[in-house]
Amino acid sequence: IFREGLSKRGVQVITGLGKYFRQIDKKRNGLLSQAALKEALKLFHLEMPEGDFESLWLILDESKSDKVDYGEFTHAIFGEMNEYRKASVRKAYMKLDFNKTGSVPVVNVRKCYCAK
């Protein structure tokens, strides 16, 4: 969708969408309804013809659950990470997984990372 070289505004829109989705996700399950996605696109001035939106929804809702995972939405926008980014993520994960358990508790993330 936005893969063709993100402009500064494009990055701001994607970042803003992420913040908006986290604010409206009261259940904290990472899922978006069709209405929530449509409203978010409208809010960020990304409206599209109804037919295009329906096509987008069909692509995003592969599981036919009438909900879209925010991670799936992000993947659809950004695509696969390149090898450099994947290596960086692996390196960061290895640092966070102190005990080499294969999972990282939030407390370990808080020890190493401050989003502020």
Side-chain angles (χ1 to χ4, degrees), residues 6-79:
L6 284 175
S7 66
K8 184 176 180 179
R9 181 187 180 277
V11 171
Q12 290 172 339
V13 167
I14 297 302
T15 303
L17 277 170
K19 288 178 184 175
Y20 178 76
F21 290 147
R22 285 187 294 278
Q23 287 172 355
I24 65 169
D25 185 9
K26 302 300 182 202
K27 293 181 182 177
R28 300 280 184 239
N29 61 8
L31 299 176
L32 300 169
S33 69
Q34 193 173 27
L37 179 59
K38 190 178 283 191
E39 183 62 30
L41 294 176
K42 183 178 180 180
L43 183 69
F44 284 87
H45 308 289
L46 298 171
E47 294 111 326
M48 58 184 71
E50 187 61 31
D52 290 349
F53 180 81
E54 292 298 327
S55 296
L56 172 64
W57 186 259
L58 288 173
I59 292 167
L60 294 174
D61 186 22
E62 289 182 63
S63 64
K64 307 294 183 241
S65 64
D66 289 329
K67 298 280 183 188
V68 171
D69 182 278
Y70 176 66
E72 291 173 10
F73 176 79
T74 303
H75 183 265
I77 291 173
F78 290 115

Side-chain angles (χ1 to χ4, degrees), residues 75-99:
H75 183 265
I77 291 173
F78 290 115
E80 287 290 326
M81 288 191 286
N82 64 36
E83 288 305 314
Y84 177 78
R85 284 185 65 206
K86 285 181 186 178
S88 295
V89 169
R90 283 188 205 101
K91 187 175 178 181
Y93 187 84
M94 288 173 23
K95 190 171 187 171
L96 292 171
D97 187 13
F98 307 147
N99 302 322

